[in-house]
Amino acid sequence: MLWVRGRVLVGPDEVRDELWAVDGRITYERPPGADHAVTVTGWALPGLVDAHCHVGLDRHGPVDAATAEKQALSDREAGTLLIRDAGSPSDTRWVDDREDLPKIIRAGRHIARTRRYIRNYAHEIEPGDLVAYVAREARHGDGWVKLVGDWIDRDAGDLTACWPRGEVEAAIAEAHRLGARVTAHCFAEESLTDLVEAGIDCIEHATGLTEETIPLFAERGVAIVPTLVNIATFPDLAAGGEAKFPRWSAHMRKLYERRYDTVRAAYDAGIPVYVGTDAGGSLAHGLVAGEVAELVKAGIPPLEALSATAWGARRWLGRPVLEEGAPADLVVYDEDPRADVRVLAAPRHIVLNGRVIG
Ligand SMILES: [Zn+2]
């Protein structure tokens, strides 16, 4: 049994003094023997969400289970206890049997156009096969499917959309029929209108949002996961590709330069924004606090940025927060993270399934 005392942040405005974890589950009713429980004190938040985090993947492709375990442990140390895995070529189902590792909501394997993504990551297919692959990954995943919506087109020398409107519309409809939501990697402007009008549920990165597409997203409630810690690498990518693909480089730099304005404009228009780090490709795991800080830097109010990795993100993913009977997955801090999100960088205790593990 565990006793969490101090300030329990049940919601952005709902604070309680204590909770208990009995058999791994939260209760607010003082259980018998409570005085002898292991006690932790501080400010408790629901386990953080990283809504774009690849476990089982590194810059070269799939990794073995030992490496995937290390990745998940780095996330756990940072307070990330719920991951939406935005595409992984590895089978990480074994993680579900591990009470000491973060919970994962999978999106199956990335679906990309032939030779239009990072090598060894995706199913690389042509549009005629899109519906079949989306159906297949919808069955493999945990309610999400991940498309690569745009990527560099070497002939055009710039980012271009990967899927024709008709095929992507049919594929999204098929995913919805199977109970899965669809998200897509998009850096550029061009791919967004078709994807939103085709009924997509979320866009990753979304650096290409404009005055034209922001109202469409807002009207349809399409979420974005900006991954600003990843967008920070655009200048390096642009420098690397400059000689061969100058148009692409210039485009990437422009998207980078307006990244905070883009996120702020999306937020102001009412587009749901969530925290995701894009860990696992070239980025390290455990960067969740840095991403929340970036959202604040972009102009999102601190309490909203916090919700984007806590209460709001969990609700969006259909997972519980700190309610009676929920798994006791929480992170305890020395100070109030609502007052300053930098508090997230130093968790005092990590509690997973009612056990103090860090
Ligand atoms: Zn990613």
Side-chain angles (χ1 to χ4, degrees):
M1 191 196 305
L2 177 70
W3 188 3
V4 180
R5 304 177 64 182
R7 310 301 282 158
V8 177
L9 300 169
V10 181
D13 303 311
E14 192 191 345
V15 185
R16 297 200 186 199
D17 295 333
E18 54 193 351
L19 66 72
W20 287 270
V22 178
D23 297 331
R25 301 264 164 185
I26 290 170
T27 181
Y28 290 95
E29 278 172 40
R30 188 184 179 86
D35 289 342
H36 306 290
V38 174
T39 305
V40 297
T41 55
W43 295 80
L45 266 188
L48 306 187
V49 173
D50 186 340
H52 187 137
C53 177
H54 307 278
V55 174
L57 177 71
D58 74 6
R59 66 178 70 235
H60 306 294
V63 298
D64 61 19
T67 308
E69 182 188 32
K70 260 188 220 147
Q71 295 174 336
L73 288 171
S74 302
D75 291 316
R76 187 186 81 177
E77 252 169 63
T80 294
L81 302 183
L82 179 61
I83 288 168
R84 187 185 59 145
D85 185 334
S88 180
S90 304
D91 180 357
T92 58
R93 278 285 160 207
W94 57 270
V95 174
D96 295 351
D97 299 326
R98 289 276 299 269
E99 292 249 303
D100 61 330
L101 293 178
K103 297 176 172 75
I104 302 183
I105 296 168
R106 294 171 187 78
R109 188 172 184 172
H110 300 77
I111 300 171
R113 192 81 182 259
T114 316
R115 298 195 59 239
R116 295 283 300 280
Y117 201 45
I118 305 163
R119 204 187 297 228
N120 301 327
Y121 275 35
H123 291 299
E124 296 190 12
I125 62 161
E126 286 304 293
D129 294 325
L130 186 60
V131 172
Y133 272 84
V134 164
R136 175 185 154 153
E137 295 312 302
R139 290 191 179 97
H140 284 164
D142 301 312
W144 283 90
V145 175
K146 170 75 178 292
L147 307 179
V148 177
D150 64 31
W151 195 251
I152 187 167
D153 175 340
R154 287 168 183 81
D155 298 329
D158 200 352
L159 297 163
T160 65
C162 293
W163 309 105
R165 167 69 184 265
E167 279 79 356
V168 86
E169 194 168 328
I172 291 170
E174 177 68 0
H176 289 168
R177 199 180 64 78
L178 295 168
R181 289 185 269 182
V182 181
T183 191
H185 160 114
C186 294
F187 285 162
E189 297 82 353
E190 185 204 355
S191 54
L192 297 177
T193 308
D194 274 353
L195 289 171
V196 170
E197 287 181 348
I200 202 149
D201 302 282
C202 180
I203 295 287
E204 311 299 309
H205 319 300
T207 40
L209 279 171
T210 60
E211 279 173 12
E212 284 75 50
T213 45
I214 283 173
L216 288 177
F217 275 59
E219 195 185 301
R220 292 165 183 251
V222 179
I224 63 168
V225 180
T227 71
L228 287 167
V229 290
N230 178 21
I231 307 314
T233 68
F234 278 19
D236 281 348
L237 296 176
E242 181 79 66
K244 247 173 136 181
F245 303 110
R247 273 183 61 196
W248 173 83
S249 281
H251 195 174
M252 293 290 278
R253 275 196 200 95
K254 270 211 185 100
L255 295 170
Y256 168 78
E257 279 156 17
R258 69 177 179 91
R259 68 198 184 288
Y260 293 135
D261 295 336
T262 306
V263 170
R264 175 63 199 250
Y267 170 79
D268 284 346
I271 295 174
V273 179
Y274 297 106
V275 168
T277 66
D278 210 357
S282 54
L283 265 73
H285 284 256
L287 299 177
V288 69
E291 180 64 18
V292 177
E294 279 285 284
L295 292 180
V296 172
K297 200 168 168 188
I300 295 187
L303 193 57
E304 295 296 325
L306 195 58
S307 187
T309 189
W311 314 283
R314 284 179 166 268
R315 228 173 290 126
W316 176 57
L317 294 171
R319 295 299 175 105
V321 285
L322 298 178
E323 62 247 39
E324 182 79 23
D329 294 352
L330 51 101
V331 194
V332 181
Y333 301 93
D334 287 327
E335 289 169 74
D336 186 353
R338 295 173 305 173
D340 184 348
V341 298
R342 285 174 299 182
V343 166
L344 297 181
R348 187 200 278 184
H349 301 292
I350 311 284
V351 177
L352 196 47
N353 296 303
R355 279 179 49 215
V356 184
I357 44 177

